[in-house]
Amino acid sequence: MAKPAALFSTLLFLAGSAMATAPVPATRPLDLVALGAPTFTNFTSRDGLPDSVIVSIQTDRDGFVWVASPDGLSRYDGRRWTTLTDPELASSAVHLLRDHEGTLWAAFRDNGIARYDGRRWEVENRGTGLPSQQIRRLVDIRNSDDSWTLWALTWDQGLLRRENGRWHADAGNAQLPHGAVISFARTSHIGGTERQWAGTGNDGLWYRSPGQAWTKFRQADFDPAQIEYVLQTGKAEQEALWVSGFGSGLWRLSQAGLRKWSRELGDFPSNDLYDIAETPQSDGESTIWVSSRAGLIRIYHDQVQVFDRRHGLPSNVVREIGAWRSPNDDNVLWLATESGVSRTLVGANQWLTASLMGAQATGVFALLVEPDGRNGERLWVGASDDGLGLYENGRWRYFTQANGALPESTVRMIRSVPDKDGTPVLWIGLRFGHLLRVGDGPTFTPVSVPWPQHVGQALLDLLTRTVDGHYEQWFATRQSGTYRLRDGRWTALRPSNAAGQWRVNRLLEQIDASGRSQLWAISNQGLARLDGETWTLLGRDVGLPDTDLIGGHILPDAQQRPILWIGTSYAAIARVDISNPAHPAVLPDNLPPAPDQTAYSALPDSKGRIYICTNNGVQRLTPTGNGYATQVFTRRDGMVHDECNTNSQFIDTHDRFWTGTLGGVTVFDPERATTDQVAKPLKLMDVRIDGRSIRAHPVHVSPAARDVHIEYALLSWQRENESRFRTQLIGYEDKPGQWTAQNSRTFNSLPPGDYLLRIEARDYAGNLSTPVALPITVSAQWWQHPVARTAFAGLVVLLGYAVMRWRTRALQTQRRDLEQRVAARTLELHQANARLLDLSYRDALTGLANRRRLLETLEQQWSTGNDAALFTMIFVDVDHFKDYNDEHGHPAGDEALRCVASALRDGAPRDALVSRYGGEEFACLLPQTDIAQGVALAERFRVAVENCDVPVPGTADTRRLTISAGVASRRIGTSADAQQLLRDADIALYHAKHAGRNRVCTAVDVP
């Protein structure tokens, strides 16, 4: 048995330096508040919202969320949005306010004000003494004596103040400029005294001190006309007044002076600003949020970030921010946008979006978090087409081919490895096989390399080691295998049995029990072990379930044996015991099922948790006494994209998990976990008897009533789709029903009696809410009383014989009728099942077959045992589709996809299977077709799409699109043949897009 010290030595390796970091002296972590983007949950008309623009949003004292729109008022109950139908409230609502007592107020453009006490709305207008019905905003101001004053800001009558239940015009209105007053605030110390501030619609900002007249605020570089919003923050010397000027920018006025942010200064993408809100941070600082016509703006430590549709918002135009402190002390932002409502929990989400680099192409393929030399950290990101990004000191810098910093803008590797003297050196690998050494500044110095440099080439990994006193650098390439640089001499090494292009994704060093350095290569043709000067390929002969390997990492098991965890393309994670490198042993596949069979890496943190990145989210394995507990994270949990990328995972010294995806960089911080132990409010929403809503509780059901319908809601502010309910009608049911997502019960023809409906609910975290009990009394029909029942008993005896004879004949007739109905119903079910089967194989948007139909068709070819048949696959991708979507909107994007689908369908032969593969990708499977025929058909597809006039919905305009196509041909007799056909077509498509788009390429064209 090996000694523990010797076993421990097997775990020392250098190749994982870019994916796992050894403990170092404590450094200040990257501030994820400043770096990370929020995660948004969106609601649209599909959830019950009106189609019109949402202009204001507020949460009431019970936790219901209300929105104002030109259609009036709508309320969210944790499941659906419902627009009020009260005629008095069915006018254009412009603002909502919850005052200090919890009362909800609504302002209307031309219908006055409405007040909601939790049960009903009461309208105030000229008929009740309101001086103006044209209300712009409501503001609740805390006065110097701690009393509160409610103010109404009007379009035509200046300021209105509420006193003793009545509205009064402010005495100073005549001093303000004629027109709308649209914002109002109070400060205590700015200017050395108490001040009230009024923002006007066309004449800037005004202020007044107690006992003084209104005065226009004038200061250098302060020239807004329309003051959309003013917000007071801070106390004493830290007090500030934030001012948003529509069309002119944002200002902060404080004892330190006036600070401005604007588009002209390079801060914002737009000066068209609306609302301002503040949320506190755990460090005592606060974050300022500004709504604008170019997204949601965040200002933290005076640094600006802008979030828009690229980050998940339903619209770039955010009209108002409703900041709400939940009972769980979460800061919840509700956003009113021009395409619905969005919600984000500030600081409560463990997943954050760190960068959207590469989102317009194929994402991020390299990243590194490293010390910045100032007791802090910096982040490097390498992306497809977007070059290299460096986040340092709260700011991003970008290095691309366009700005002359790099020879190529697709980055495939970022590695920090020790130089010959042990000094860490940063290296960058690019497409075309470029290698750059990074110096201070940073500077990027090209290094001459021996491998072929062309479009398909890339440097994927770099490892250094010292063997027999010689310093070696090892390089892994995308197409040409491995190269070693030793004593100034380059050597190419590849296995003798490697076929074609040998892609090496990862290099790993292991120090075995004897102290010898062992090298392993993770490749597209299996696991390779370096034996002296020769690579030996290991694959299915040693039990590997797949040979198309993507990533690897060496982890100790419970017995401290070195286990190589390998990410594969088709078998998720494979584990290999490399205690004896000469005889590696594949371990049984007893891990919890992965969310996808394509897994890129398995990285451990300091607590033994293992993160596995896949094509369908991230799986976290937590060690237990007899294995691993599993948890899967996806976009629903805040990831920017579900699909990870090769060699782009990293765990920093603070146990944060970083990964590159097709949509950018996302980071998981386990320390941001919040334990939700707050029971959510369970509310009885509606009781209907025969469709008529009733308010009386307990519920009395008349003898003639046919059904009773009860609806209820759980007011959860996150993950509402995981809320569950169960009920029991005590007196009718012996026990509660099962927990389900259904939030209603309907009872038909209940027997007379007294019942109690007990409603229970639990949220996503399992917190049980206080049950609701609803008494229900069902009255008896006259014939259900005791005297009537006695009379009926005698009648039953007299009629028994007659009934029996009649019943016998009736049953015979019913049996014949039933047999006929069963036959008819069976036929209907068969027809319905056939329609459902067709729908399950069809893409709803384009009418084409879907990806499932395509893959099952391929599977049928090899699974039936038939002889291998020739198939050609054409992969089609719409060029620059995301840009088209962003410019013209999703309806136009849908119309474009339908036009492309029509062109493909019309141009394909009858025996072809044309399908929508996903997003803007299509596929065409051609049986008994060779590569030349496939290329000819693909070219006809390309020309047809290029000549197609695509209408833009809502306009008379048309646009033109182009496509790129990849063609591959192969005989299919096995599952591996089918998968290789898909890979070849995908590679050809990739080549077509990177060769300039609007072209057709084949797999044999790829260098």
Side-chain angles (χ1 to χ4, degrees):
M1 182 175 181
K3 296 180 180 180
L7 286 173
F8 179 78
S9 68
T10 64
L11 306 178
L12 301 177
F13 57 93
L14 298 174
S17 61
M19 300 176 69
T21 307
V24 297
T27 57
R28 184 176 62 257
L30 285 168
D31 188 347
L32 296 186
V33 176
L35 171 64
T39 299
F40 299 103
T41 301
N42 298 324
F43 306 88
T44 66
S45 57
R46 293 189 298 270
D47 305 295
L49 280 169
D51 288 322
S52 53
V53 173
I54 308 299
V55 297
S56 186
I57 191 163
Q58 192 59 257
T59 306
D60 69 17
R61 71 179 80 186
D62 291 324
F64 290 101
V65 184
W66 295 80
V67 297
S69 75
D71 292 325
L73 302 177
S74 304
R75 184 177 73 171
Y76 181 59
D77 63 6
R79 187 62 60 92
R80 292 284 298 172
W81 295 86
T82 304
T83 299
L84 303 189
T85 57
D86 187 339
E88 286 194 291
L89 302 171
S91 60
S92 181
V94 295
H95 187 242
L96 291 164
L97 168 75
R98 186 183 68 252
D99 68 17
H100 67 282
E101 294 180 340
T103 302
L104 188 66
W105 297 81
F108 295 88
R109 181 64 178 84
D110 54 9
N111 196 35
I113 296 170
R115 182 177 72 248
Y116 181 65
D117 61 5
R119 294 186 303 163
R120 63 179 63 87
W121 285 92
E122 180 179 343
V123 175
E124 300 179 357
N125 50 33
R126 287 193 184 275
T128 63
L130 186 66
S132 171
Q133 293 202 159
Q134 299 179 21
I135 310 301
R136 171 59 183 90
R137 192 185 301 274
L138 296 159
V139 182
D140 198 25
I141 296 293
R142 188 170 189 168
N143 304 312
S144 58
D145 59 359
D146 287 337
S147 65
W148 292 79
T149 300
L150 185 64
W151 296 82
L153 285 54
T154 73
W155 294 98
D156 60 344
Q157 296 293 326
L159 297 167
L160 307 181
R161 184 180 67 256
R162 187 174 178 84
E163 292 180 351
N164 301 321
R166 304 284 293 178
W167 291 97
H168 304 275
D170 184 75
N173 281 339
Q175 302 159 6
L176 290 171
H178 180 73
V181 178
I182 56 180
S183 56
F184 192 74
R186 172 188 170 273
T187 60
S188 300
H189 296 84
I190 295 175
T193 183
E194 177 185 351
R195 284 182 176 179
Q196 290 177 338
W197 301 82
T200 68
N202 55 22
D203 198 15
L205 181 66
W206 293 67
Y207 69 93
R208 69 178 174 187
S209 299
Q212 297 183 9
W214 285 104
T215 302
K216 186 172 182 178
F217 179 77
R218 303 178 188 275
Q219 191 164 327
D221 198 32
F222 185 83
D223 54 356
Q226 180 175 329
I227 304 297
E228 191 69 26
Y229 201 82
V230 288
L231 175 72
Q232 181 272 341
T233 63
K235 296 180 180 180
E237 287 73 18
Q238 302 301 316
E239 186 178 46
L241 182 72
W242 294 82
V243 181
S244 65
F246 192 84
S248 50
L250 178 74
W251 288 265
R252 181 183 62 207
L253 179 62
S254 67
Q255 301 284 42
L258 189 66
R259 167 72 191 271
K260 182 180 181 180
W261 291 262
S262 70
R263 182 185 59 195
E264 291 75 15
L265 295 174
D267 303 307
F268 300 157
S270 171
N271 282 337
D272 295 337
L273 310 181
Y274 291 108
D275 197 17
I276 312 174
E278 178 189 24
T279 57
Q281 298 296 334
S282 58
D283 60 2
E285 299 290 334
S286 63
T287 299
I288 297 297
W289 305 86
V290 183
S291 59
S292 81
R293 296 198 66 80
L296 176 65
I297 299 171
R298 181 178 68 191
I299 301 177
Y300 178 67
H301 290 168
D302 284 356
Q303 300 296 318
V304 174
Q305 277 191 283
V306 182
F307 311 110
D308 52 29
R309 287 177 57 185
R310 298 171 303 159
H311 299 85
L313 282 172
S315 170
N316 285 346
V317 183
V318 182
R319 297 292 291 268
E320 189 177 278
I321 306 167
W324 177 61
R325 189 79 168 182
S326 77
N328 197 41
D329 284 335
D330 290 330
N331 289 304
V332 183
L333 292 185
W334 288 92
L335 309 177
T337 84
E338 292 195 354
S339 297
V341 166
S342 192
R343 181 189 63 207
T344 183
L345 274 68
V346 180
N349 201 325
Q350 292 178 279
W351 285 96
L352 292 169
T353 299
S355 171
L356 294 179
M357 288 182 65
Q360 301 295 319
T362 53
V364 170
F365 285 87
L367 60 85
L368 174 70
V369 178
E370 66 170 1
D372 63 4
R374 295 177 296 275
N375 200 37
E377 293 179 332
R378 59 183 182 179
L379 169 66
W380 293 88
V381 176
S384 177
D385 289 355
D386 283 346
L388 186 68
L390 172 61
Y391 182 79
E392 189 174 22
N393 296 326
R395 292 186 178 275
W396 280 100
R397 286 189 286 167
Y398 297 98
F399 310 93
T400 65
Q401 185 178 19
N403 62 28
L406 304 178
E408 157 64 30
S409 286
T410 291
V411 179
R412 295 301 303 266
M413 181 200 78
I414 304 173
R415 289 286 182 264
S416 178
V417 297
D419 209 354
K420 185 179 297 185
D421 61 0
T423 304
V425 176
L426 193 65
W427 297 85
I428 308 296
L430 307 176
R431 186 173 60 175
F432 290 94
H434 296 294
L435 174 64
L436 307 176
R437 181 179 174 124
V438 182
D440 294 338
T443 60
F444 305 96
T445 303
V447 176
S448 297
V449 295
W451 49 80
Q453 293 184 272
H454 45 69
V455 67
Q457 185 67 283
L459 186 62
L460 301 182
D461 200 11
L462 167 61
L463 177 147
T464 63
R465 67 172 184 170
T466 300
V467 177
D468 298 330
H470 295 273
Y471 175 77
E472 297 180 346
Q473 291 176 299
W474 286 82
F475 302 86
T477 69
R478 187 173 185 270
Q479 293 187 339
S480 307
T482 64
Y483 291 79
R484 182 185 66 194
L485 178 60
R486 175 174 174 170
D487 297 334
R489 178 183 177 186
W490 289 95
T491 305
L493 297 108
R494 64 177 280 144
S496 59
N497 57 340
Q501 295 177 353
W502 187 43
R503 183 179 69 248
V504 177
N505 292 311
R506 292 286 293 150
L507 292 167
L508 302 170
E509 183 185 16
Q510 172 199 7
I511 306 301
D512 65 19
S514 65
R516 181 187 176 192
S517 173
Q518 302 281 348
L519 279 190
W520 301 89
I522 306 297
S523 83
N524 64 335
Q525 299 184 40
L527 176 64
R529 181 189 63 227
L530 185 67
D531 296 320
E533 295 285 316
T534 304
W535 285 108
T536 300
L537 271 179
L538 309 171
R540 299 187 187 278
D541 55 319
V542 297
L544 283 174
D546 184 19
T547 56
D548 192 356
L549 311 183
I550 306 175
H553 201 84
I554 303 174
L555 308 178
D557 66 3
Q559 290 75 41
Q560 297 301 304
R561 297 176 302 177
I563 307 299
L564 178 56
W565 291 56
I566 303 173
T568 74
S569 292
Y570 304 104
I573 292 293
R575 293 176 299 161
V576 182
D577 183 351
I578 54 174
S579 300
N580 183 350
H583 300 285
V586 177
L587 300 180
D589 181 14
N590 54 10
L591 294 174
D596 191 86
Q597 291 305 295
T598 299
Y600 292 91
S601 62
L603 299 184
D605 67 10
S606 65
K607 296 179 175 57
R609 298 169 297 203
I610 298 173
Y611 293 82
I612 297 174
C613 220
T614 77
N615 268 355
N616 190 29
V618 172
Q619 180 183 37
R620 183 173 68 174
L621 302 180
T622 302
T624 62
N626 56 356
Y628 293 95
T630 181
Q631 184 176 6
V632 175
F633 304 100
T634 63
R635 283 195 229 212
R636 185 189 66 181
D637 301 289
M639 291 184 63
V640 66
H641 200 285
D642 289 336
E643 189 169 340
C644 298
N645 273 333
T646 307
N647 284 357
S648 58
Q649 291 75 48
F650 187 91
I651 292 182
D652 65 21
T653 58
H654 313 284
D655 274 347
R656 295 166 167 179
F657 174 75
W658 304 74
T659 182
T661 74
L662 284 181
V665 177
T666 189
V667 55
F668 176 80
D669 185 0
E671 296 303 316
R672 289 170 63 93
T674 58
T675 303
D676 188 348
Q677 297 179 334
V678 174
K680 312 302 184 294
L682 174 61
K683 298 292 184 180
L684 187 65
M685 299 302 299
D686 194 17
V687 178
R688 293 181 176 269
I689 299 177
D690 291 340
R692 181 174 56 88
S693 183
I694 64 169
R695 292 184 177 274
H697 298 159
V699 177
H700 293 279
V701 184
S702 67
R706 294 186 301 275
D707 62 72
V708 181
H709 181 74
I710 300 101
E711 295 183 0
Y712 33 89
L714 186 65
L715 303 184
S716 181
W717 51 91
Q718 58 177 316
R719 296 166 62 172
E720 302 93 319
N721 60 330
E722 298 179 43
S723 296
R724 294 295 180 264
F725 306 88
R726 71 175 181 180
T727 62
Q728 179 186 7
L729 187 61
I730 299 172
Y732 187 76
E733 297 169 333
D734 295 332
K735 59 183 181 180
Q738 298 295 318
W739 289 101
T740 70
Q742 183 177 345
N743 63 332
S744 65
R745 281 293 304 269
T746 300
F747 302 99
N748 303 105
S749 303
L750 283 172
D754 294 322
Y755 304 96
L756 183 69
L757 179 63
R758 178 181 169 86
I759 306 168
E760 299 177 87
R762 70 184 187 201
D763 64 10
Y764 74 97
N767 297 308
L768 293 173
S769 301
T770 301
V772 170
L774 178 65
I776 301 175
T777 298
V778 180
S779 301
Q781 295 275 10
W782 65 268
W783 46 265
Q784 292 176 314
H785 291 280
V787 174
R789 289 180 178 178
T790 301
F792 279 128
L795 181 61
V796 168
V797 173
L798 293 175
L799 296 178
Y801 178 72
V803 170
M804 289 179 60
R805 289 180 60 84
W806 172 82
R807 182 63 174 164
T808 299
R809 292 182 180 180
L811 286 174
Q812 292 172 344
T813 301
Q814 289 177 1
R815 184 182 66 183
R816 289 192 296 271
D817 292 343
L818 181 61
E819 288 173 349
Q820 294 173 356
R821 289 198 299 270
V822 167
R825 183 59 176 159
T826 300
L827 178 60
E828 292 175 0
L829 287 174
H830 284 314
Q831 293 172 341
N833 285 335
R835 289 193 297 270
L836 288 173
L837 181 61
D838 181 66
L839 288 174
S840 72
Y841 283 122
R842 193 158 301 281
D843 175 58
L845 177 65
T846 63
L848 298 177
N850 58 17
R851 181 173 180 168
R852 174 186 176 189
R853 175 68 181 278
L854 175 70
L855 296 180
E856 288 191 5
T857 300
L858 283 172
E859 181 181 359
Q860 289 171 1
Q861 169 59 28
W862 63 264
S863 62
T864 55
N866 296 330
D867 293 338
L870 179 64
F871 281 83
T872 291
M873 177 69 72
I874 303 175
F875 271 174
V876 172
D877 186 90
V878 182
D879 296 331
H880 305 294
F881 181 72
K882 189 174 189 309
D883 293 340
Y884 187 91
N885 236 353
D886 290 342
E887 180 179 355
H888 302 293
H890 289 290
D894 291 346
E895 183 62 30
L897 292 178
R898 283 191 286 266
C899 289
V900 173
S902 177
L904 300 184
R905 180 172 48 237
D906 294 345
R910 295 185 60 182
D911 59 348
L913 177 62
V914 181
S915 66
R916 185 182 178 193
Y917 199 68
E920 64 271 25
E921 291 188 5
F922 298 84
C924 179
L925 182 64
L926 301 163
Q928 301 300 329
T929 303
D930 60 25
I931 190 72
Q933 294 169 315
V935 169
L937 178 59
E939 180 62 23
R940 291 198 295 273
F941 285 163
R942 187 192 67 77
V943 173
V945 172
E946 188 175 30
N947 293 328
C948 181
D949 291 323
V950 181
V952 178
T955 73
D957 298 338
T958 61
R959 293 290 185 270
R960 292 290 181 95
L961 293 170
T962 62
I963 60 173
S964 299
V967 186
S969 184
R970 193 177 188 87
R971 290 192 175 274
I972 298 180
T974 67
S975 173
D977 294 335
Q979 295 296 337
Q980 188 62 47
L981 178 64
L982 292 171
R983 283 199 300 273
D984 290 346
D986 189 52
I987 291 171
L989 175 59
Y990 176 87
H991 182 65
K993 293 187 75 64
H994 284 270
R997 296 185 171 89
N998 191 22
R999 65 191 61 220
V1000 177
C1001 290
T1002 69
V1004 297
D1005 294 331
V1006 178

